[in-house]
Amino acid sequence: MKKPLSNWSFDRVKQERIFTIFLFLGLVLVAFVFITLGNMFYQQLEDISGLIAAATDPVVLKAIGISISMALVSTLVAFFFGVPLAYFLARKEFTGKSIIEGLVDVPLMIPHVVAGIALYGVFMRHGLIGAPLRELGIVITDAYPGIVIAMLFMSLPYLVDTAIEGFKEVDPRLENVARSLGASQWKTFREITFPLAFSSILSGAILSWGRAISEFSAVLILAYHPISAPILIYEKFTSFGLRASRPISVLLILICLVIFILLRVSQRRRK
Amino acid sequence: MIEVRDLCKDWKEFSLKDITLDVKKGEYFVILGPTGAGKTLLLETVAGFHIPDKGNIWIEGCDVTLIPPEKRKIGFIYQDYALFPHLTVEQNIAFGLKLKRTSKSNMNMARLKGIMDWLRISHLAHRYPATLSGGEQQKVAIARAIAIEPQILLLDEPLSALDSRTRDYLREELKRIKKEFDITMVHVTHDQTEAMFLADRIGVMMDGEIVQVGTPREVFNKPINERVAEFVGVENIIEGMIESNEDGITVIRINGHRIEGISDYSVGDRVRLCLRPEDITLALSRDKSSARNSFKGTINQMVPLGALTRVSVDCSFPLIALITKRSLEDLGLKEGDEVIVSFKATAIHILK
């Protein structure tokens, strides 16, 4: 009788040679990320007092708070406008559709500094949108709305693209059936389409939120103040060097990691 | 009940070309046609999922062409069941019931329970669709559709994804449903057996057009043209010329043979004979057969198909016969044997 293959026997490795090779190739990338962050964490471990000092510094906490909360606002805005856009793009065919899809993805491709300059041109005090808003007493540059707008611009493709994929995975025939059963289009969207696409939309929202927190260049140009975490880190780095900037970086990563993991876990639960 | 008038619709690679169709109240109407004929598109347009480019759809005397699907009271069943994967069986079936404003929730529960009992799926109430077999899923889909008491049930290849035993069983169930709930059913399929078994009337659809409407008998025995004949399983289509016609008894000349049939074509017309393979009998000698047509031939191939065997006979023109395994054994036939092939004049359908 032939011996059944155990999970990691030599036979199995030979049988699945392609996966063995691909695993080793893939591990290069994993190691790349792991070593970079691990090294930073490891060095910080030798300077725990520095970390504690950062964690109790009100300036640092405020900057991290701004980053996280403004990223949340940006994600909510992206959600509010992006989900309808994604549903439309997932369901309808029309001429010029690829232009709209391309436009949505432009932020992924241009240097963030360029995006920042473009945004500044529109939202500054004399800008196309900045000027009328100023009439209404709303200032964008160097204010909270500026942070949100910079973050939104850079992170919206992540939400929209993922939501499009999510909606495409919902069989339109399920919607047909729901309607034949008496559900209006709104009801069908609320009870069938959205719940089924929600997992993808949430993934997109998490990506978009993470991207928003990490946005630096565009925020730097549009709203240097109120100072958000990446800008504070950069300022500390240029003025005081690695020792001063690292604890804030580690703190930011730790907080984001915890939130990120919690969201992922809750998403798994839903499934 | 359903009147479709000059319906045109282009959608993706499918199209409907000037479809006119009437389905009577309480009828089991089967739309039979090959893949890609536009059957699903027709059904979805009747349900209101597509707005026609041209033409009208009337239901019980009301023009519903522009009425949204949720107001049409039409149940819809898809081949792959289209159950809501995030809802349990019970929630799936209750989906349409809960949307009815007029009904009370305890009435709903009673109806829900009644339907689940009737279809024998009560034990599945709290399971999710992904955990059910194909047959169970399709029963749930049927329960969900009839729960809202539709006047019309549209079924898009409802049995095609099922294994043959489940298919036979659900076929019976569909008949039972029509009787019990008195629903007008329109059923789309490419399967002739299914059509023959279920249909009161059949509409044959090809390339976006309804080419023939009739009872199963009419469609299977008197196909309107060669393509329909081929599609409904007429395996013998033979070209010939009318030699004489006296009071409808027509003699057709084929390769030096004379075949008798019934038609009103005139002498000299070039025609095609349609003969279903199951209408042919084989014998060892020429006797006791009341059939008018009887020819000597040689068996050149025998292909077993389970209960039946497909026998190809060369009588200077080729014929294909379907013979039961039993009678083949009785006759002791094998490839290369000489046989007498007979068929009745009434079994022949003549096309011009």
Side-chain angles (χ1 to χ4, degrees), chain B residues 241-273:
Chain B
M241 207 195 344
I242 306 273
E243 190 177 88
S244 70
N245 187 346
E246 281 166 32
D247 300 332
I249 306 286
T250 314
V251 176
I252 308 112
R253 199 170 179 80
I254 288 163
N255 266 3
H257 294 280
R258 287 192 176 83
I259 294 180
E260 285 186 29
I262 294 161
S263 81
D264 45 18
Y265 292 111
S266 12
V267 175
D269 283 351
R270 297 207 67 79
V271 291
R272 287 185 182 82
L273 302 192

Side-chain angles (χ1 to χ4, degrees), chain A residues 26-166:
Chain A
L27 279 177
V28 172
L29 288 185
V30 176
F32 176 46
V33 175
F34 183 78
I35 290 171
T36 309
L37 293 180
N39 175 61
M40 183 169 75
F41 274 69
Y42 182 76
Q43 286 177 339
Q44 195 57 51
L45 281 179
E46 294 178 334
D47 179 24
I48 288 291
S49 59
L51 188 62
I52 293 169
T56 48
D57 181 351
V59 176
V60 171
L61 291 181
K62 190 181 175 212
I64 291 178
I66 287 174
S67 276
I68 290 176
S69 58
M70 290 304 113
L72 184 65
V73 175
S74 147
T75 304
L76 290 176
V77 175
F79 179 92
F80 184 76
F81 295 107
V83 168
L85 176 65
Y87 186 53
F88 189 85
L89 290 176
R91 281 289 183 266
K92 294 291 173 192
E93 295 300 326
F94 53 92
T95 43
K97 180 177 172 178
S98 52
I99 296 174
I100 293 189
E101 284 172 333
L103 217 52
V104 167
D105 283 343
V106 162
L108 293 176
M109 284 168 272
I110 58 173
H112 297 194
V113 148
V114 174
I117 291 168
L119 285 168
Y120 188 73
V122 173
F123 288 99
M124 65 182 182
R125 276 153 216 269
H126 311 295
L128 188 63
I129 299 175
L133 282 180
R134 197 181 161 210
E135 297 283 304
L136 299 170
I138 302 167
V139 179
I140 304 288
T141 48
D142 279 328
Y144 288 115
I147 300 177
V148 171
I149 279 170
M151 286 176 164
L152 177 65
F153 190 83
M154 301 318 303
S155 67
L156 69 90
Y158 293 89
L159 191 140
V160 174
D161 287 349
T162 325
I164 289 176
E165 289 313 310

Side-chain angles (χ1 to χ4, degrees), chain A residues 10-22:
Chain A
F10 184 65
D11 287 345
R12 166 82 85 180
V13 170
K14 251 169 55 184
Q15 292 250 336
E16 306 209 316
R17 195 172 285 145
I18 185 168
F19 286 110
T20 314
I21 294 168
F22 282 10

Side-chain angles (χ1 to χ4, degrees), chain B residues 299-311:
Chain B
I299 297 179
N300 48 29
Q301 200 189 26
M302 289 169 57
V303 182
L305 306 168
L308 297 173
T309 299
R310 196 163 170 272
V311 183

Side-chain angles (χ1 to χ4, degrees), chain B residues 154-346:
Chain B
L154 305 179
L155 306 105
D156 183 15
E157 305 255 4
L159 308 177
S160 302
L162 302 168
D163 63 83
S164 66
R165 263 189 63 195
T166 315
R167 189 160 55 221
D168 292 349
Y169 165 71
L170 266 180
R171 217 161 55 183
E172 300 279 355
E173 289 289 276
L174 288 176
K175 272 201 161 169
R176 204 162 73 97
I177 286 161
K178 193 195 146 242
K179 231 169 130 184
E180 172 81 14
F181 297 96
D182 192 29
I183 307 178
T184 306
M185 315 257 271
V186 183
H187 177 134
V188 153
T189 185
H190 61 263
D191 183 317
Q192 343 160 10
T193 326
E194 211 168 289
M196 209 173 333
F197 182 86
L198 289 166
D200 294 323
R201 283 194 307 148
I202 294 175
V204 181
M205 189 164 180
M206 283 174 164
D207 297 332
E209 288 175 90
I210 296 281
V211 288
Q212 184 175 7
V213 176
T215 62
R217 240 186 118 76
E218 284 164 358
V219 170
F220 286 100
N221 294 322
K222 302 203 179 319
I224 199 165
N225 61 33
E226 201 173 329
R227 282 193 66 204
V228 174
E230 273 171 14
F231 185 71
V232 299
V234 176
E235 292 193 59
N236 301 298
I237 299 175
I238 310 153
E239 284 190 40
M241 207 195 344
I242 306 273
E243 190 177 88
S244 70
N245 187 346
E246 281 166 32
D247 300 332
I249 306 286
T250 314
V251 176
I252 308 112
R253 199 170 179 80
I254 288 163
N255 266 3
H257 294 280
R258 287 192 176 83
I259 294 180
E260 285 186 29
I262 294 161
S263 81
D264 45 18
Y265 292 111
S266 12
V267 175
D269 283 351
R270 297 207 67 79
V271 291
R272 287 185 182 82
L273 302 192
C274 298
L275 179 59
R276 297 191 68 85
E278 61 267 32
D279 288 335
I280 297 176
T281 54
L282 299 185
L284 293 173
S285 56
R286 214 184 279 261
D287 55 37
K288 71 183 173 181
S289 166
S290 65
R292 280 177 178 266
N293 299 302
S294 165
F295 303 95
K296 190 181 271 183
T298 315
I299 297 179
N300 48 29
Q301 200 189 26
M302 289 169 57
V303 182
L305 306 168
L308 297 173
T309 299
R310 196 163 170 272
V311 183
S312 311
V313 185
D314 182 12
C315 328
S316 84
F317 55 91
L319 276 182
I320 289 165
L322 279 174
I323 309 295
T324 61
K325 206 173 142 214
R326 174 73 197 280
S327 58
L328 269 187
E329 277 168 6
D330 288 349
L331 294 169
L333 290 174
K334 57 181 189 303
E335 285 174 16
D337 285 358
E338 287 217 328
V339 283
I340 305 298
V341 177
S342 354
F343 44 89
K344 292 181 177 170
T346 49

Side-chain angles (χ1 to χ4, degrees), chain A residues 171 173-185 187-188 191-192 195-196, chain B residues 44 49 68-70 74 76 78 80 82-86 95-96 99 144-145 148:
Chain A
D171 190 340
R173 286 177 298 181
L174 292 179
E175 298 171 353
N176 287 347
V177 166
R179 297 201 59 200
S180 78
L181 292 169
S184 66
Q185 275 183 300
K187 187 98 181 160
T188 302
E191 305 232 337
I192 305 298
L196 288 173
Chain B
E44 288 187 336
F49 306 152
E70 61 265 30
I74 293 179
F76 204 100
Y78 274 114
D80 53 2
L83 296 177
F84 305 134
H86 59 311
F95 185 85
L99 293 167
R144 181 178 63 181
I148 59 162

Side-chain angles (χ1 to χ4, degrees), chain A residues 194-254:
Chain A
F194 186 75
L196 288 173
F198 183 74
S199 186
S200 297
I201 296 171
L202 184 62
S203 290
I206 293 172
L207 277 177
S208 155
W209 177 76
R211 186 67 200 76
I213 290 177
S214 50
E215 183 47 38
F216 169 68
S217 320
V219 175
L220 179 88
I221 291 170
L222 208 58
Y224 193 97
H225 291 283
I227 208 155
S228 49
I231 292 176
L232 182 67
I233 291 166
Y234 179 71
E235 201 178 76
K236 293 267 182 190
F237 179 69
T238 48
S239 317
F240 307 104
L242 199 58
R243 262 187 90 82
S245 59
R246 194 176 49 216
I248 315 174
S249 311
V250 170
L251 198 60
L252 181 66
I253 292 176
L254 282 176

